[in-house]
Amino acid sequence: MGGRAGRGAAAAHVAFPRWRSLRTELRGRLRGWGRRAAAEGGGRGLAALASPPRRVRGSFPRGREASPCCGARAAEAPQRSGVIMLAETSLSIWGWGSLGLVLFLVTFGPFAIFYFAFYILCFVGGGFVVTLLFGKSNSEKYLEQCEHSFLPCTSVGIPKCIEEMKREARPIKIDRRLTGANIIDEPLQQVIQFSLRDYVQYWYYTLSDDESFLLEIRQALQYALVQFSARSKETDWQPYFTTRLVDDFGTHLRVFRKAQQRIAEKGDQMKDQAEDLVDTFFEVEVEMEKEVCRDLVCTSPKDEEGFLRDLCEVLLYILLPPGDFQNKIMRYFVREILSRGILLPLINQLSDPDYINQYVIWMIRDSNCNYEAFMNIIKLSDNIGELEAVKDKASEELQYLRSLDTAGDDINTIKNQINSLLYVIKVCDSRIQRLQSGKEIDTVKLAANFGKLCTVPLDHILVDNVALQFFMDYMQQTGGQAHLFFWMTVEGYRVTAQQQLEVLQSRQKDGKYQTNQTKGLLRAAAFGVYEQYLSEKASPRVNIDDNLVAKLAETLNHEDPTPEIFDDIQRKVYELMLRDERFYPSFKQNVLYVRMLAELDMLKDPSFRGSDDGEGESFNGSPTGSINLSLDDLSNVPSDETVQLHAYISDTGVCNDHGKTYALYAITVHRRNPNSEETWKTYRRYSDFHDFHMRITEQVPPLIQKTYSDPDHCRVAAPIDDNVDDNIPLRVMLLLMDEVFDLKERNQWLRRNIKNLLQQLIRATYGDTINRKIVDHVDWMTSPEQVADAVKRFRDAFWPNGILAETVPQRDKAIRMRTRVAGKTKLLEVMPDELKHIIGAETTRKGILRVFEMFQHTQLNKRMVYVFLERFLETLFPENKFHELFNKLHSRSKQMQRSCRSVMIKCC
């Protein structure tokens, strides 16, 4: 302790030099006290106590033990030293403290003590507050670390979504470019904006104000559109529009035609014709497509929505980046917007029969309504709803006209209108009664009215292609085909001879041509006609007056042939065909004559005779009515699986068609069935044999394999015949005419004439550059201007004036029925008369009405729309195997399951 006091005194001495005198005085007093104590109790202890600490420590060498007496003395020394140091310390503290207090009061005044206390209190309080706040923040951080480290994982689902939505929104930069063409991007951006506004934002803002989710959806849609646009630019659309689209439409029409034929075979066994037609249609589709049937998608709304969802999800998988596609929430939103917000309403609208009928009327709005076509539609209608709607409207107009108070010239006009309306009501009532009673006109009833049929003169039959076809068929049945062929050959010879002689005379005048070559050719042609039909070797031979034949032979041997050299014999042959009971008179009582009248649109409806019409009608008169007759019923021929055919060329001739002369060959065909044998003749040109030979040369093994397939039960996608695949418009027009008017299997001679006519028409209109023009037209259809126009029409249809269009209420049934009647009337009006003259009025009418009837079934329209959509995606994404995907999506079809079961049963 003495050492510590000494070191403390030394420190005080260094720090406070002014107090050295006080220390010296205090030390002297302590020494005095020490001597006084030593005198009383012994000086050794105080001396030791007063000696420096080094001497005290030095009195005990390290490692040496002290003796007992020395230990006792050493114990007493520290006690004395401690007392001295305690007294010295106490005195020093009080002295210093008193001195400091005196100096403080002298310096700062008597109230400084209170200020000092206040400062101390503020200091302590501030430290306490800082410590409290610092501790609170550290505690919160620690608790948060403990929560993340030791608490269980947070729940997923809605809480997680809310947590993500509450996070701070990250800025998203959106590039508004989509297709690279501003004219397209602008309406597309509006479509995206309107879609998000009307399908997402109206309910999303009730949950959150965060914009990031909406921005991510918009960005995903834009990315998909960018990818879609890039794919579209890389795709060649010309095969899709000129081949696949036409083939799919032709296949759809063929399926419908086959379904109609099966329904007609069932007859009165049907209860619900419309429903049965739909079922039969999809049965035929399975037979024709082999791998797919779309009945579930087209008939079940639930399955249709599921199909569209699956399809949209596949498209998003292809078009979106992997990160966005893995975001299920956003993917589901985009999928629902595309499937239920855009595709489903669009498909429903395109499949609506009433919408299609209105569109047809709008497309041909420039043509005026024809009263004759309208009455034909009424007389041919087999829908009671149509007839009742027309009758009600006519009655309404009749009441209005009768309520008018008119006089003068107007009254005559009103009377005529009233009479016309009364006639329309009468026709509708008669037709409704006939349909309700089931008394349709059949072949027996038609035969009973043969005597009242209109008469077509023979000279008109011989110059009309349609009528000549039926008369030719009749003449070959009766064995008089030689007379008809002779008459036709002479007509061709006359035209050819006149043309050749005119050319010869013109060249002789110019001095450029002087030879008997042309006359030699005409002489050879005349001798050929004589040898083929009039000589003793001719088979079959034209039976005519021998004197006329001998006179003709004499002329041929001694004179130059002229165009009129066969005129006398031709007139005799004409009179023979006209008056001989075997030919023209019997033809007028034959079923073929009835069919000819129907094709010429001259068949009268017996139910209206005796009222406004006369007893008969001549060929030069205009037809005023038609009969609801299926011409197929007049010539039904049973078909068996085992049929033997044998054909050979039995006759030849020269035919004149619109000023063109060509060789014509009569082919006799024998068909032998197990129970019967039939013989008939057909007619072919040399080009037909050439084409047939070329096809056989190119396909002999494949041709044998194809004989096992029925062309009527196959798709139309296979290349058509006649070597027209390289001519796009000819191929399209011929394919459509084959399916619409059913020409391919029924009449090859007529089909050949139609093909030649179409080819001449196309070449005269467009020349040899028609394919280039077609390609240019397809490029124009897919140009940015046309695509932008289509997007704008879509935008204006769904969002007129920027507002979501309300669901259009379904129109009244009567209005829809009258629209159907108007649509059929318009279609018959736009059919050119030239087409009726080529293929016949009845065939034209049946084909047009078949196409119109096909569009009157929503389920069938949906099937066609989905086929077009599937082909579109297969063309756009050729490497993604969409064909296999669609087969899998349609694999749950009931018709496909039935077909598979039937195949398994047959195999077993």
Side-chain angles (χ1 to χ4, degrees):
M1 181 176 292
R4 293 191 192 96
R7 286 193 299 271
H13 173 74
V14 175
F16 305 103
R18 293 187 304 174
W19 304 104
R20 290 179 181 176
S21 60
L22 180 61
R23 185 184 62 179
T24 303
E25 181 181 0
L26 180 60
R27 183 174 295 177
R29 290 181 181 180
L30 289 175
R31 288 178 180 174
W33 292 341
R35 282 193 298 266
R36 196 176 294 125
E40 293 177 359
R44 185 174 298 177
L46 286 175
L49 179 62
S51 63
R54 185 176 54 191
R55 293 177 183 179
V56 174
R57 289 195 300 266
S59 61
F60 298 100
R62 180 180 295 179
R64 180 182 296 178
E65 295 183 359
S67 61
C69 59
C70 292
R73 288 193 299 265
E76 292 177 357
Q79 292 178 357
R80 296 190 186 102
S81 176
V83 172
I84 295 172
M85 291 299 297
L86 179 60
E88 183 179 1
T89 302
S90 299
L91 183 60
S92 176
I93 291 175
W94 281 105
W96 285 108
S98 299
L99 181 61
L101 179 59
V102 171
L103 293 176
F104 180 81
L105 292 176
V106 172
T107 305
F108 299 103
F111 297 100
I113 188 65
F114 300 103
Y115 296 136
F116 184 73
F118 176 74
Y119 295 154
I120 294 175
L121 181 63
C122 291
F123 177 78
V124 173
F128 178 77
V129 172
V130 171
T131 304
L132 179 64
L133 294 177
F134 180 76
K136 180 181 179 182
S137 61
N138 286 344
S139 299
E140 290 178 351
K141 293 181 179 179
Y142 179 74
L143 291 176
E144 185 177 358
Q145 293 176 357
C146 293
E147 181 182 2
H148 288 292
S149 300
F150 306 105
L151 293 179
C153 297
T154 58
S155 61
V156 296
I158 296 179
K160 183 65 175 178
C161 294
I162 297 176
E163 181 182 352
E164 293 291 336
M165 293 168 65
K166 288 182 179 179
R167 290 184 178 179
E168 183 178 359
R170 294 174 298 174
I172 299 178
K173 184 179 180 181
I174 296 180
D175 189 356
R176 300 183 65 86
R177 294 175 299 177
L178 298 175
T179 64
N182 294 330
I183 192 175
I184 303 177
D185 294 346
E186 181 180 355
L188 269 181
Q189 288 289 351
Q190 292 179 347
V191 170
I192 295 175
Q193 178 182 353
F194 294 156
S195 300
L196 293 176
R197 181 195 65 188
D198 296 325
Y199 295 114
V200 179
Q201 292 180 1
Y202 80 96
W203 59 263
Y204 176 77
Y205 283 137
T206 62
L207 301 177
S208 174
D209 296 331
D210 188 15
E211 298 283 347
S212 60
F213 179 69
L214 299 177
L215 293 177
E216 289 181 359
I217 293 181
R218 187 186 188 102
Q219 190 177 31
L221 287 173
Q222 292 192 172
Y223 187 87
L225 288 174
V226 169
Q227 298 299 318
F228 184 85
S229 174
R231 289 291 189 101
S232 300
K233 294 177 182 178
E234 298 172 357
T235 304
D236 182 13
W237 293 108
Q238 185 263 335
Y240 173 77
F241 286 107
T242 61
T243 303
R244 304 193 69 175
L245 203 65
V246 180
D247 291 339
D248 290 332
F249 179 79
T251 301
H252 187 83
L253 184 57
R254 177 177 293 183
V255 174
F256 181 77
R257 176 165 53 85
K258 299 298 292 185
Q260 275 189 327
Q261 293 176 359
R262 293 191 183 181
I263 294 298
E265 293 173 358
K266 295 180 181 179
D268 298 334
Q269 301 177 1
M270 297 167 29
K271 296 182 180 180
D272 190 348
Q273 184 176 4
E275 182 178 354
D276 192 76
L277 177 63
V278 173
D279 295 338
T280 307
F281 179 90
F282 288 109
E283 290 178 4
V284 179
E285 183 189 19
V286 174
E287 299 175 1
M288 191 168 294
E289 295 283 355
K290 306 297 183 183
E291 298 178 349
V292 66
C293 183
R294 302 169 181 86
D295 55 341
L296 279 182
V297 176
C298 300
T299 57
S300 173
K302 182 178 179 181
D303 292 313
E304 182 181 13
E305 292 179 4
F307 172 81
L308 290 177
R309 287 194 184 100
D310 294 339
L311 181 59
C312 291
E313 191 146 357
V314 172
L315 292 177
L316 293 178
Y317 174 78
I318 296 174
L319 298 175
L320 290 181
D324 291 342
F325 182 79
Q326 296 300 328
N327 189 343
K328 293 184 178 180
I329 298 176
M330 184 186 66
R331 185 173 83 233
Y332 291 160
F333 274 114
V334 176
R335 183 192 69 182
E336 292 300 316
I337 291 175
L338 292 177
S339 62
R340 294 179 57 87
I342 297 178
L343 287 181
L344 188 59
L346 180 62
I347 292 174
N348 289 336
Q349 183 176 14
L350 295 177
S351 304
D352 184 15
D354 188 53
Y355 172 79
I356 296 175
N357 297 337
Q358 295 180 62
Y359 189 73
V360 169
I361 295 174
W362 177 82
M363 288 187 65
I364 52 181
R365 60 189 179 277
D366 295 334
S367 63
N368 297 324
C369 291
N370 190 318
Y371 178 77
E372 180 182 344
F374 172 73
M375 294 308 302
N376 285 337
I377 292 298
I378 297 299
K379 296 174 183 178
L380 292 171
S381 177
D382 57 356
N383 190 306
I384 297 179
E386 293 179 359
L387 297 171
E388 290 179 346
V390 174
K391 176 185 173 183
D392 294 340
K393 189 65 176 178
S395 301
E396 181 182 344
E397 292 294 328
L398 184 62
Q399 293 178 1
Y400 171 74
L401 291 176
R402 285 176 174 174
S403 65
L404 295 178
D405 185 11
T406 57
D409 296 337
D410 293 340
I411 193 164
N412 295 327
T413 303
I414 293 177
K415 285 183 178 180
N416 293 334
Q417 294 178 357
I418 290 176
N419 292 332
S420 299
L421 292 173
L422 289 174
Y423 181 68
V424 170
I425 295 175
K426 178 182 177 181
V427 174
C428 291
D429 287 335
S430 176
R431 186 64 181 162
I432 290 173
Q433 292 176 4
R434 184 182 301 170
L435 291 175
Q436 290 177 344
S437 62
K439 296 181 180 179
E440 282 294 317
I441 297 178
D442 54 9
T443 307
V444 177
K445 185 174 181 180
L446 184 63
N449 293 274
F450 271 6
K452 297 182 179 180
L453 295 175
C454 59
T455 301
V456 182
L458 180 60
D459 55 346
H460 288 85
I461 293 177
L462 294 177
V463 297
D464 187 273
N465 284 333
V466 177
L468 181 60
Q469 169 195 345
F470 293 98
F471 187 61
M472 191 180 298
D473 292 340
Y474 174 78
M475 292 294 284
Q476 60 134 12
Q477 292 178 5
T478 59
Q481 68 272 16
H483 299 77
L484 180 60
F485 284 166
F486 172 76
W487 189 92
M488 296 170 58
T489 303
V490 171
E491 284 293 313
Y493 169 80
R494 181 186 298 108
V495 174
T496 303
Q498 290 176 351
Q499 294 177 351
Q500 293 296 328
L501 291 177
E502 289 176 358
V503 173
L504 177 61
Q505 292 175 0
S506 63
R507 294 189 176 184
Q508 286 178 346
K509 292 180 179 179
D510 297 337
K512 299 180 179 179
Y513 187 82
Q514 187 71 30
T515 182
N516 293 327
Q517 182 180 1
T518 301
K519 294 183 178 180
L521 293 176
L522 292 179
R523 184 184 300 275
F527 268 105
V529 174
Y530 175 82
E531 293 292 336
Q532 184 175 357
Y533 294 103
L534 301 175
S535 67
E536 297 293 337
K537 300 178 181 180
S539 177
R541 184 174 182 269
V542 176
N543 295 322
I544 202 68
D545 189 0
D546 293 338
N547 294 328
L548 292 176
V549 176
K551 182 180 178 180
L552 174 63
E554 184 70 17
T555 303
L556 288 174
N557 290 326
H558 297 88
E559 298 180 8
D560 292 334
T562 62
E564 299 81 13
I565 193 172
F566 294 102
D567 284 359
D568 294 337
I569 298 179
Q570 187 186 30
R571 280 192 292 269
K572 289 293 183 181
V573 171
Y574 176 81
E575 294 178 359
L576 179 65
M577 292 190 296
L578 178 65
R579 306 186 187 283
D580 195 323
E581 291 295 332
R582 297 175 300 167
F583 303 138
Y584 178 69
S586 297
F587 173 63
K588 293 191 295 183
Q589 304 299 322
N590 192 276
V591 173
L592 290 175
Y593 185 78
V594 181
R595 296 186 62 188
M596 182 194 72
L597 292 179
E599 294 293 351
L600 295 175
D601 202 13
M602 300 179 62
L603 203 57
K604 301 293 293 183
D605 191 341
S607 62
F608 300 109
R609 286 203 186 92
S611 57
D612 297 332
D613 302 330
E615 291 296 326
E617 184 178 344
S618 65
F619 179 78
N620 294 329
S622 61
T624 59
S626 299
I627 194 170
N628 187 21
L629 175 66
S630 176
L631 299 181
D632 297 334
D633 297 337
L634 299 177
S635 59
N636 288 332
V637 180
S639 58
D640 298 314
E641 295 183 358
T642 57
V643 178
Q644 296 180 356
L645 294 176
H646 175 65
Y648 62 92
I649 299 176
S650 58
D651 204 352
T652 60
V654 179
C655 183
N656 177 29
D657 185 13
H658 296 284
K660 293 185 60 177
T661 303
Y662 50 85
L664 191 65
Y665 299 84
I667 304 175
T668 302
V669 183
H670 296 278
R671 180 171 65 179
R672 181 176 300 173
N673 298 328
N675 300 325
S676 63
E677 182 176 354
E678 298 181 2
T679 302
W680 72 91
K681 288 188 177 181
T682 185
Y683 307 95
R684 294 292 184 270
R685 295 175 55 180
Y686 175 79
S687 57
D688 295 325
F689 290 98
H690 177 72
D691 295 342
F692 182 65
H693 172 73
M694 295 299 296
R695 288 197 296 271
I696 290 179
T697 303
E698 296 174 358
Q699 307 171 1
V700 172
L703 185 62
I704 299 176
Q705 298 176 2
K706 291 181 181 179
T707 55
Y708 294 99
S709 62
D710 184 5
D712 275 347
H713 289 80
C714 299
R715 287 183 52 86
V716 191
I720 61 176
D721 56 358
D722 296 298
N723 297 326
V724 298
D725 283 342
D726 57 341
N727 193 324
I728 296 175
L730 180 61
R731 177 188 183 278
V732 171
M733 296 175 68
L734 189 59
L735 186 147
L736 292 179
M737 293 192 70
D738 282 341
E739 298 304 325
V740 172
F741 303 109
D742 195 14
L743 301 178
K744 189 172 184 179
E745 300 299 329
R746 295 181 59 183
N747 198 312
Q748 292 296 324
W749 178 77
L750 179 62
R751 184 175 183 271
R752 170 64 68 180
N753 291 337
I754 293 174
K755 178 225 167 185
N756 293 334
L757 180 62
L758 291 176
Q759 201 164 15
Q760 295 174 7
L761 177 64
I762 292 172
R763 287 179 178 175
T765 306
Y766 298 101
D768 296 332
T769 61
I770 180 62
N771 285 351
R772 179 67 259 175
K773 293 182 179 180
I774 293 293
V775 173
D776 294 340
H777 185 71
V778 173
D779 294 338
W780 174 80
M781 291 173 58
T782 57
S783 64
E785 292 77 11
Q786 295 302 311
V787 174
D789 186 63
V791 175
K792 290 178 182 178
R793 289 198 300 268
F794 174 81
R795 177 200 62 191
D796 296 338
F798 278 79
W799 292 277
N801 298 323
I803 301 174
L804 182 63
E806 297 181 358
T807 302
V808 179
Q810 190 173 16
R811 301 199 306 168
D812 183 73
K813 181 180 179 181
I815 299 178
R816 290 186 282 115
M817 290 295 105
R818 288 194 292 268
T819 305
R820 288 183 56 170
V821 175
K824 288 190 285 187
T825 305
K826 286 283 189 179
L827 284 177
L828 287 183
E829 286 176 3
V830 298
M831 288 298 104
D833 294 336
E834 291 77 9
L835 182 63
K836 299 178 182 179
H837 295 160
I838 295 174
I839 63 177
E842 179 66 15
T843 300
T844 302
R845 182 164 43 246
K846 287 180 60 178
I848 295 301
L849 295 181
R850 179 186 296 119
V851 174
F852 185 85
E853 181 64 25
M854 181 183 69
F855 287 109
Q856 304 310 307
H857 303 273
T858 304
Q859 299 90 339
L860 307 189
N861 295 338
K862 284 192 174 183
R863 187 262 177 192
M864 186 168 60
V865 172
Y866 280 116
V867 169
F868 290 164
L869 178 61
E870 291 173 9
R871 298 296 177 267
F872 175 82
L873 294 178
E874 290 176 9
T875 305
L876 188 62
F877 305 101
E879 71 280 1
N880 293 106
K881 300 181 179 179
F882 265 96
H883 180 72
E884 299 178 4
L885 173 65
F886 289 130
N887 290 345
K888 293 180 180 179
L889 292 178
H890 295 301
S891 61
R892 294 183 292 114
S893 167
K894 297 179 181 179
Q895 296 291 349
M896 285 294 297
Q897 295 175 0
R898 294 175 188 171
S899 177
C900 293
R901 285 196 297 266
S902 61
V903 171
M904 293 177 62
I905 293 175
K906 290 181 181 179
C907 294
C908 295

